[in-house]
Amino acid sequence: MLSKKSNIPQILLGVCTAIFLGAYLFFGRDLVLATKALVYSSAVALLVSGLFFRQSMRRNDWLILSATLIFGTMTIVFDNEVFIQWRTTIVNILIAVGLVGMFYLKKSPIKMIFGKALDIELPEHEWLRTNLWWAAYMLVMAGLNAVIILLGLSSEVWMSFKMVINPLLTFVLAILLMVHLVKKGKQYEAKKRAEVEVEDGQNHRLNEREQSKE
């Protein structure tokens, strides 16, 4: 193992996505062919990450790579692009279920990501609420992906949703979430300061009364 903590697995995932997109755009917009490139690159990414960066692998990384290999292989074997398309819906549903599970376990991945980075202090229930927001978003994206497949829309439409619309919506939601968390954080800090001031004022008055009695 070369590193106990590294972003290499996530970088490799990004590289696999870039290879998939490049193969699709520059080799005849053939989704099955692009899937072959995705499967081969994902297999290498899984091997490298598993051997050298295991401690840096997140659950989502394992899920995405495993699902890619399973559904991608089915796409290649049956020469049918619908399998890789369904991968998005299945993965999103599983992520949503995981987020709901973490909600009940009192764990928030959003807090792990944004808490220290943005230096935000919030009550635990506010962090946990973000789990449900993201879970709902994942289910919506899973539903939209399923609708595109069931309507039999072209691979071009699906790729536009997968590689443009979905990431764009995710980015917008992340920005809105950060703005909301920062605003909530400031409100929480102001509330705490006000409570401290009230408590200090009460203590000061009690001290004055005790001194007057003496």
Side-chain angles (χ1 to χ4, degrees):
M1 186 177 295
L2 298 179
S3 175
K4 292 185 177 180
K5 189 175 182 181
S6 171
N7 291 326
I8 295 299
Q10 292 75 45
I11 293 174
L12 290 176
L13 276 174
V15 171
C16 292
T17 301
I19 290 173
F20 173 64
L21 181 60
Y24 179 80
L25 291 177
F26 299 111
F27 292 92
R29 299 183 182 271
D30 185 338
L31 190 51
V32 174
L33 176 62
T35 300
K36 291 180 181 179
L38 177 63
V39 168
Y40 300 151
S41 60
S42 295
V44 173
L46 184 61
L47 181 63
V48 172
S49 298
L51 288 177
F52 304 112
F53 305 98
R54 182 178 292 271
Q55 291 189 7
S56 299
M57 287 283 283
R58 303 166 184 167
R59 292 178 182 176
N60 281 0
D61 300 334
W62 290 108
L63 173 62
I64 292 171
L65 286 171
S66 299
T68 297
L69 292 177
I70 293 170
F71 288 94
T73 300
M74 293 172 68
T75 295
I76 296 170
V77 170
F78 295 102
D79 194 29
N80 191 334
E81 62 191 32
V82 74
F83 293 105
I84 196 64
Q85 291 177 329
W86 276 110
R87 185 206 68 152
T88 300
T89 292
I90 301 301
V91 168
N92 281 4
I93 290 174
L94 291 176
I95 291 175
V97 171
L99 287 169
V100 173
M102 293 182 75
F103 172 83
Y104 287 106
L105 292 174
K106 308 299 182 185
K107 295 181 180 179
S108 172
I110 305 301
K111 180 180 180 180
M112 301 174 194
I113 297 171
F114 293 122
K116 291 183 179 180
L118 299 178
D119 192 23
I120 299 174
E121 183 181 359
L122 284 172
E124 199 63 26
H125 71 271
E126 289 286 350
W127 289 113
L128 292 174
R129 190 178 298 172
T130 62
N131 285 32
L132 301 182
W133 294 350
W134 275 105
Y137 170 73
M138 287 295 174
L139 291 176
V140 169
M141 290 296 102
L144 289 175
N145 188 73
V147 168
I148 291 173
I149 298 170
L150 293 173
L151 290 178
L153 300 182
S154 66
S155 60
E156 286 83 2
V157 173
W158 182 80
M159 283 294 289
S160 296
F161 171 77
K162 172 68 177 174
M163 307 306 297
V164 179
I165 297 174
N166 195 341
L168 182 60
L169 290 177
T170 301
F171 176 76
V172 170
L173 182 60
I175 294 297
L176 292 176
L177 179 60
M178 284 191 290
V179 171
H180 172 77
L181 291 175
V182 169
K183 181 179 178 180
K184 280 285 186 178
K186 290 180 179 179
Q187 292 175 349
Y188 183 64
E189 289 178 4
K191 181 180 178 181
K192 285 182 63 178
R193 285 196 299 268
E195 290 175 348
V196 170
E197 290 174 359
V198 170
E199 185 177 352
D200 289 344
Q202 291 174 344
N203 292 334
H204 181 69
R205 285 192 292 272
L206 287 174
N207 290 334
E208 288 181 341
R209 290 176 185 174
E210 290 178 358
Q211 290 176 0
S212 63
K213 290 179 181 178
E214 295 176 357

